[in-house]
Amino acid sequence: MKTFHCNRCEHLVFYENVVCERCEALLGFVPELGELSAFEEAGDGLWRSLHPQAAGALYRQCNNYALEHVCNWMIPADQPDTLCRSCQLTRVIPNLTPPDNRLYWYRLEVAKRRLLYTLATLGVKVESRHANPQEGLEFEFLEDTGKGGQVLTGHDNGLITLNIAEADDAYRESTRTAMHEPYRTLLGHFRHETGHYYFDRLVAGTPWLEPFRKLFGDESVNYAEALDAYYRDGAPGDWQASYISAYATMHPWEDWAETWAHYLLIVDVLDTSTSYGVALLPSDPTDPTLTDQTPVEDASFDNLMKRWFPLTYALNSLNRSLGMPDGYPFTLAPPVVEKLRLVHRVIAGPPPAAGPKSLPAAEAPPSQPPQPSPQSPPAPPGPEPVTPS
C-alpha cells in the first residue's frame, strides 16, 4: 500500500480515510486512478476531484459510502452504477439488526478493499459475477444461526463465504489461540480464499498445472478424505521443512491457497515499506541492510526475497521492543520459497509451453461446499441467516 496525501492541504492520509483530519476535505478512492483523492462539492450529489490526475472530473459516492458508511470508493459521474466496483462484489451482507454487525460489515469491506488494491497493483484481473456470470468473483458475509448451524469460511466456484465472527477481534484471537495458530487476520482470510479462486482461474487446466504438481503435489487426491485425515492425525511433525503453515499440509489446494496468501502479504508489506522510504542502514555492515526501493510490481522474485528477510528481522525486533509478539512469526524453508516463486511466476507472466500430461485435472463436484478456512475445525454448513442489502 503506497502513501497518500490530501490534494487540498498535502496532509498525510490513509487508504481507509473518508475525511482529511487537517482540512476536513472529503476523501475517496478512485479505482480508475488507483489514487485516494480529496473532493469538493459540485452540487446535485456530485463531487469534483482535486487530484491532479483526475483533471477536475466529477464523481458520486458509492451508496455504501454515502448511506451506509462502510465504504470510501467513488464512482465516475457518467456511470449509472450505485455501488462501486468493490461493493458490487458483495452478494450478501450481514443482518444489520444486531448492533455489532454493522461494525463487522465495515471491517470486512475494509479488508476486501485492501485485497483488491494489492491485486490491482499486481495486475491480477478481478471480474464480478455480474460481468462474468460463469467465472466472476463474489462474496457472502454470513453469521451462525445459533441453532446448530455453523457458517464455514470458504470458496465455492467463485463464491467466497466469510463468517462475520472473524471480524470480531476477541473471537478471532480466541480461535487463533485454540487452534495454536501463530497468525490469524481478517485480511488473511480474504487472501487465502482468493487463492482458491485464482487457482481455478490461472492454474487449473493450463500449462501451469505441471509445475504446480511438481511443487505442491497431486491436487486430484480426494479432498474430503484429506480433510478428515488432517483433523484426525494433524500435520506431520516436520511440516515446517516444506510448508508455510500446518494447514497447508492438508491438501495441495490448501498449500497453494496458503502460499498465495503469503505472497500477497509479502507484496503488500514491501509495497508499504517502499512507499514510506523505509531503509535499513546498520552501523555494523554485517547486520541486515535494506536500501532497494524497486516498486513491487516491477521487482523480480529474487529481488523481493532479498528485501523481505532484512525487513522481517527489523519488524520483529521493533515488535519485541514494544513488548508485542513477532509481527512475522514464520520461517520460509527453501521448498516454501520455491512455491512462492511459482505464485510470482503465475501472476507475473504467461504460462510455460504445455508439456505432456501425467495426471488428470481434479474437478470439484457440482455443488461443492465452501472449504474451511485455515485451521478451522470442520462443521456442517447451516442455512444462510442473513439478508441481502
Side-chain angles (χ1 to χ4, degrees), residues 207-236:
W208 285 120
L209 196 56
E210 286 304 311
F212 165 85
R213 286 170 171 166
K214 290 179 181 178
L215 291 174
F216 292 87
D218 175 12
E219 85 293 348
S220 68
V221 299
N222 187 280
Y223 184 91
E225 292 178 2
L227 181 67
D228 290 342
Y230 175 78
Y231 283 113
R232 181 184 65 246
D233 304 327

Side-chain angles (χ1 to χ4, degrees), residues 37-369:
S37 172
F39 289 86
E40 63 181 10
E41 287 192 71
D44 296 326
L46 300 180
W47 296 84
R48 180 173 288 103
S49 174
L50 300 180
H51 197 284
Q53 294 182 29
L58 296 178
Y59 293 84
R60 287 178 287 105
Q61 292 173 291
C62 169
N63 267 20
N64 285 343
Y65 184 177
L67 303 179
E68 303 294 346
H69 310 295
V70 298
C71 181
N72 72 338
W73 280 26
M74 306 295 284
I75 303 170
D78 59 357
Q79 293 185 8
D81 302 313
T82 58
L83 294 178
C84 70
R85 295 182 187 178
S86 177
C87 289
Q88 287 179 27
L89 298 175
T90 303
R91 186 174 81 172
V92 179
I93 69 169
N95 177 359
L96 299 181
T97 302
D100 288 339
N101 282 10
R102 182 175 292 276
L103 173 62
Y104 299 157
W105 180 28
Y106 167 77
R107 290 175 175 173
L108 288 159
E109 294 291 353
V110 167
K112 172 157 66 75
R113 291 195 298 272
R114 181 169 282 266
L115 167 76
L116 295 176
Y117 180 92
T118 302
L119 294 176
T121 297
L122 294 173
V124 177
K125 186 177 183 180
V126 178
E127 290 185 298
S128 69
R129 190 60 62 95
H130 175 74
N132 186 343
Q134 299 301 317
E135 298 181 341
L137 181 65
E138 61 183 353
F139 295 84
E140 292 184 338
F141 301 148
L142 309 180
E143 64 180 328
D144 295 339
T145 63
K147 300 177 181 178
Q150 181 180 355
V151 173
L152 294 180
T153 292
H155 167 260
D156 179 16
N157 192 33
L159 172 62
I160 292 177
T161 302
L162 282 98
N163 189 329
I164 68 169
E166 291 291 343
D168 179 347
D169 295 337
Y171 171 89
R172 193 176 60 254
E173 178 61 17
S174 65
T175 303
R176 185 196 67 79
T177 301
M179 302 306 297
H180 307 290
E181 300 171 0
Y183 204 75
R184 190 182 185 95
T185 68
L186 194 55
L187 180 54
H189 284 308
F190 278 92
R191 289 168 173 159
H192 175 95
E193 301 306 336
T194 56
H196 288 299
Y197 172 72
Y198 282 107
F199 176 84
D200 292 343
R201 301 284 77 78
L202 303 178
V203 178
T206 78
W208 285 120
L209 196 56
E210 286 304 311
F212 165 85
R213 286 170 171 166
K214 290 179 181 178
L215 291 174
F216 292 87
D218 175 12
E219 85 293 348
S220 68
V221 299
N222 187 280
Y223 184 91
E225 292 178 2
L227 181 67
D228 290 342
Y230 175 78
Y231 283 113
R232 181 184 65 246
D233 304 327
D238 61 347
W239 66 264
Q240 289 180 315
S242 301
Y243 298 89
I244 189 60
S245 69
Y247 188 70
T249 68
M250 195 274 281
H251 188 277
W253 281 339
E254 298 302 339
D255 193 7
W256 167 268
E258 288 283 83
T259 306
W260 171 278
H262 208 85
Y263 178 81
L264 295 187
L265 180 154
I266 290 172
V267 166
D268 201 348
V269 174
L270 279 175
D271 191 33
T272 303
S273 68
T274 300
S275 296
Y276 277 91
V278 173
L280 303 178
L281 302 171
S283 56
D284 186 339
T286 64
D287 287 341
T289 301
L290 174 61
T291 58
D292 196 316
Q293 298 291 300
T294 304
V296 293
E297 61 268 31
D298 298 329
S300 67
F301 179 77
D302 288 336
N303 176 276
L304 294 175
M305 288 295 99
K306 182 179 179 180
R307 296 153 62 188
W308 182 239
F309 292 111
L311 184 61
T312 58
Y313 176 85
L315 175 63
N316 287 345
S317 297
L318 288 170
N319 267 35
R320 295 181 187 190
S321 295
L322 291 169
M324 300 289 289
D326 284 353
Y328 185 72
F330 300 95
T331 300
L332 300 184
V336 176
V337 173
E338 290 310 303
K339 292 175 182 178
L340 288 165
R341 185 189 301 275
L342 181 61
V343 172
H344 177 88
R345 290 176 60 203
V346 169
I347 290 175
K357 295 183 178 180
S358 58
L359 292 169
E363 294 184 1
S367 58
Q368 182 183 10

